[in-house]
C-alpha cells in the first residue's frame, strides 16, 4: 500500500548487516530517520556504536548514504516503483558489541508532516481534517489506477503465456506426428527390404 508507515527498533551485532525493504510505488514521497539508542543514558555513545547506512532504489540508485554515523535522515520522491532497500552495517569490533537502532520509515500519505501544515497555514482543525481526507482520497485514487495498470500488465502476460503455450503444444504435436510417421516409413522400408511385405 502507498500509505504505510514503518517504525521499529532492532539490534545489530558488530560486523553484521541488516536490510529492510519496502514496496513503494513511483511518485510516492518517502521520509526516514534512524538513530542509535544510547546503552548508558547520560554518557556519550561509545566508539563501537556507529553505523554505515545506504538506501537504494529497485534499480540500485542511491538515495541516502551515511558513513559511521550515530543518526541520520533521508527524504526523496520515488522515481520508480518497486522494492526500496535500507541497509545498516555495524563495523566489526573486538569484543563484539550490540547496537540498538530506532528506525522510522514512512511513505505515501503518512510521510507528510501534518503538524507543520497546521502551523504554517494557521488553519482550523476541521480544515486540517478535510485536507487529510482529501489527500487520502487522492492516494486511494492513485492506488486504484496503479492497481489497474498492474492488472492490465498481468492480463497481457497471461495472454502472451497462453499464446506461447498453444504454439509449443502445436509444435510438440507436430514433432510427435513426424516421429511416428518416420517410424512407420522406416518399418515399412525395413520389411520391404526383408521381403516380409
Amino acid at each position: 500500500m502507498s500509505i504505510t508507515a514503518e517504525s521499529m527498533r532492532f539490534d545489530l551485532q558488530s560486523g553484521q548487516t541488516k536490510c529492510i525493504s519496502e514496496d513503494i510505488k513511483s511518485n510516492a514521497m518517502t521520509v526516514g530517520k534512524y538513530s542509535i539508542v544510547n546503552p548508558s543514558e547520560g554518557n556519550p555513545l561509545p566508539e563501537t556504536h556507529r553505523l554505515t547506512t545506504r538506501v537504494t532504489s529497485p534499480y540500485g540508485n542511491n538515495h541516502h548514504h551515511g558513513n559511521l554515523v550515530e543518526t541520520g535522515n533521508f527524504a526523496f520522491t520515488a522515481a520508480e516503483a518497486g522494492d526500496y532497500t535500507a541497509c545498516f552495517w555495524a563495523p566489526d569490533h573486538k569484543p563484539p558489541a550490540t547496537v540498538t537502532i530506532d528506525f522510522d520509515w514512512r511513505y505515501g500519505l503518512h510521510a507528510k508532516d501534518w503538524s507543520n501544515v497546521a502551523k504554517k497555514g494557521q488553519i482550523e482543525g476541521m480544515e486540517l481534517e478535510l485536507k487529510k481526507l482529501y489527500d487520502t482520497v487522492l492516494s486511494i485514487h492513485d492506488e486504484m489506477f496503479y492497481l489497474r495498470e498492474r492488472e492490465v500488465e498481468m492480463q497481457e502476460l497471461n495472454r502472451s503465456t497462453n499464446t506461447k503455450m498453444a504454439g509449443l503444444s502445436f509444435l510438440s504435436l507436430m514433432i510427435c506426428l513426424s516421429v511416428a510417421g518416420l517410424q512407420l516409413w522406416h518399418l515399412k522400408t525395413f520389411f520391404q527390404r526383408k521381403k516380409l511385405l
Side-chain angles (χ1 to χ4, degrees):
M1 295 279 298
S2 66
I3 50 171
T4 2
E6 172 108 14
S7 181
M8 66 180 75
R9 178 177 280 197
F10 58 91
D11 290 336
L12 185 62
Q13 295 289 330
S14 57
Q16 300 291 316
T17 302
K18 172 86 172 173
C19 290
I20 298 158
S21 65
E22 286 292 337
D23 183 20
I24 300 174
K25 69 175 190 161
S26 62
N27 297 323
M29 191 170 91
T30 306
V31 295
K33 60 182 176 183
Y34 55 90
S35 60
I36 297 174
V37 177
N38 196 338
S40 53
E41 284 294 323
N43 295 327
L45 274 172
E47 282 301 314
T48 58
H49 284 58
R50 298 286 184 270
L51 289 174
T52 299
T53 61
R54 178 171 288 140
V55 180
T56 56
S57 74
Y59 298 117
N61 298 322
N62 280 336
H63 287 284
H64 174 74
H65 179 71
N67 193 22
L68 299 176
V69 293
E70 299 173 7
T71 184
N73 297 307
F74 58 87
F76 59 89
T77 300
E80 62 241 12
D83 286 335
Y84 284 75
T85 306
C87 288
F88 300 89
W89 295 274
D92 201 8
H93 288 284
K94 300 289 187 232
T98 300
V99 178
T100 303
I101 303 161
D102 270 335
F103 182 45
D104 185 25
W105 194 355
R106 301 175 187 274
Y107 53 93
L109 183 62
H110 292 289
K112 293 189 178 182
D113 187 1
W114 293 105
S115 60
N116 285 340
V117 170
K119 286 178 191 172
K120 285 179 185 173
Q122 298 295 319
I123 57 178
E124 298 295 323
M126 183 60 91
E127 290 174 319
L128 177 62
E129 288 303 316
L130 285 173
K131 181 149 180 55
K132 285 183 185 179
L133 288 173
Y134 179 73
D135 279 354
T136 302
V137 168
L138 284 179
S139 176
I140 291 169
H141 186 259
D142 290 343
E143 187 70 21
M144 284 173 56
F145 277 107
Y146 174 70
L147 291 174
R148 282 183 190 165
E149 290 171 5
R150 295 292 298 267
E151 182 184 2
V152 167
E153 290 173 10
M154 292 305 291
Q155 287 175 351
E156 287 298 321
L157 180 64
N158 282 341
R159 281 192 206 106
S160 155
T161 304
N162 288 340
T163 304
K164 289 176 184 172
M165 288 302 294
L168 286 173
S169 298
F170 181 75
L171 179 65
S172 64
L173 180 63
M174 289 294 107
I175 290 173
C176 288
L177 290 174
S178 301
V179 168
L182 282 173
Q183 286 179 336
L184 285 173
W185 175 78
H186 177 71
L187 286 173
K188 183 179 176 185
T189 55
F190 174 77
F191 287 131
Q192 283 175 347
R193 266 189 275 132
K194 296 291 184 180
K195 298 188 178 171
L196 296 173
L197 283 180

